[in-house]
Amino acid sequence: MEIRQHSEAVGAQVSGVDVRNLGDDQFAELRDAFHRHGVLFFHEQSLTPKDHIAFAQRWGPININRFFRPVDGYPQIAEVLKEPDQTANIGGGWHTDHSYDHEPAMGSVLYALEIPEIGGDTLFAGMGAAYAALDDETKERIAGLHAEHSNRHVFGAEATYRRGMDNRLGNPDLATQDAVHPIVINHPATGEHLLYVNPGFTRRIVELEEEESSKLLWSLYQHAMKPEFHTRWQWQEGSLAMWDNRSTWHFAQNDYQGQRRYLHRITIEGTRLTGAAT
Ligand code: SIN
């Protein structure tokens, strides 16, 4: 098994391994790489839904997403699908999965079944590198602050995003979840300081007035959107990506109109997040 860094800030590509047959030592090495790099990328996997579930369960209990349409017969697996006649894609903006939950999903495991000939890459951003590169004044300013995250404006009945998804998303009546997390968290496994706000689900900084909150959030987003914190994953059929939702953002590119893109996603349970001291 070989693990090679994918960019300076985030991600590692793993080769020479079939994730269906990982020994305990290999799995321990992968877990360590996952915590250090935030995303693991694999090509040339050959997973049935059962294999996908078995791999995900090695990392922890599965968290069943309440909004995505599940794969027939496998409620643990969410469909990430765009048909040729659909224009909006799932995940087409910077976000991290489930930050609206009190105990946000630890990770997501996405497996590619059908990939457009051109386009459909996913960008990832490293929130450890983004935090580390903030100036001292900003670090001091955000230390001890908390942000509210919500799913109402994304998955709720009135949400424009959900309405653009046809029947790919459901249960708008369950979009009632808000959660408050520290803006700077400790990675639960490594203790690394991570910037934990994202444009998809973060609504406001609870300690600040609305205008100040929006300005500060926007400046943090602009900072984390700098390409130096990113990497780009080009999918093939049989590719797998597993990302850490605490330490990364991701953004599915919607540049393949008229083509089909179909993946299976499983999310893994996480823990309550704790704030980092400066
Ligand atoms: C997601 O946001 O979970 C989907 C990512 C992708 O389709 O690349």
Side-chain angles (χ1 to χ4, degrees):
M1 178 167 84
E2 194 188 358
I3 302 177
R4 292 176 71 140
Q5 208 169 332
H6 207 255
S7 78
E8 192 146 337
V10 64
Q13 185 163 347
V14 186
S15 55
V17 78
D18 177 342
V19 302
R20 293 173 302 184
N21 306 311
L22 288 168
D24 289 344
D25 287 353
Q26 282 178 317
F27 186 72
E29 209 183 322
L30 279 191
R31 190 187 284 281
D32 180 55
F34 176 70
H35 290 148
R36 272 186 297 119
H37 298 291
V39 197
L40 298 180
F41 301 117
F42 307 79
H43 281 315
E44 294 181 341
Q45 302 300 308
S46 179
L47 303 184
T48 62
K50 281 193 179 134
D51 296 328
H52 190 182
I53 291 168
F55 176 66
Q57 280 174 332
R58 288 191 78 168
W59 298 84
I62 290 175
N63 169 308
I64 297 184
N65 185 287
R66 49 206 185 274
F67 304 115
F68 283 48
R69 189 171 67 199
V71 172
D72 270 352
Y74 298 98
Q76 306 93 324
I77 306 181
E79 286 193 329
V80 175
L81 173 65
K82 186 174 164 224
E83 296 286 8
D85 63 345
Q86 294 172 325
T87 51
N89 70 334
I90 290 178
W94 284 115
H95 67 287
T96 191
D97 300 333
H98 289 237
S99 71
Y100 48 78
D101 283 334
H102 294 297
E103 296 187 352
M106 177 280 273
S108 303
V109 189
L110 189 63
Y111 178 63
L113 295 156
E114 258 186 87
I115 292 300
E117 248 170 60
I118 295 172
D121 298 349
T122 306
L123 304 182
F124 290 88
M127 291 300 112
Y131 174 78
L134 287 169
D135 59 59
D136 288 346
E137 197 187 322
T138 308
K139 283 183 182 163
E140 265 170 44
R141 183 157 180 231
I142 62 178
L145 295 182
H146 298 79
E148 183 181 86
H149 302 243
S150 180
N151 56 28
R152 298 168 201 262
H153 61 291
V154 180
F155 300 121
E158 302 307 319
T160 319
Y161 173 76
R162 190 194 65 80
R163 282 193 269 149
M165 287 294 153
D166 316 311
N167 58 355
R168 289 174 285 170
L169 297 175
N171 292 328
D173 46 318
L174 298 184
T176 55
Q177 181 73 57
D178 302 325
V180 171
H181 304 293
I183 290 187
V184 185
I185 58 166
N186 273 325
H187 190 282
T190 64
E192 185 185 11
H193 287 21
L194 306 166
L195 187 59
Y196 193 73
V197 286
N198 70 86
F201 298 114
T202 308
R203 302 300 278 168
R204 65 187 183 100
I205 297 173
V206 295
E207 289 88 354
L208 302 183
E209 294 299 327
E210 193 178 328
E211 198 184 326
E212 209 187 335
S213 158
S214 302
K215 266 198 201 153
L216 180 53
L217 281 175
W218 180 237
S219 75
L220 295 172
Y221 296 157
Q222 278 183 310
H223 170 75
M225 283 176 195
K226 290 181 193 153
E228 67 221 54
F229 306 125
H230 302 170
T231 201
R232 172 182 282 268
W233 176 236
Q234 218 171 354
W235 297 91
Q236 300 167 3
E237 284 171 21
S239 301
L240 182 74
M242 171 165 183
W243 60 86
D244 186 328
N245 281 309
R246 291 85 47 103
S247 62
T248 62
W249 287 355
H250 56 282
F251 183 161
Q253 302 298 291
N254 191 13
D255 53 358
Y256 54 96
Q257 299 303 344
Q259 301 178 77
R260 190 171 203 258
R261 184 176 183 274
Y262 182 44
L263 302 94
H264 283 177
R265 194 185 88 179
I266 299 182
T267 39
I268 298 164
E269 293 284 8
T271 53
R272 190 168 276 276
L273 302 170
T274 55
T278 34

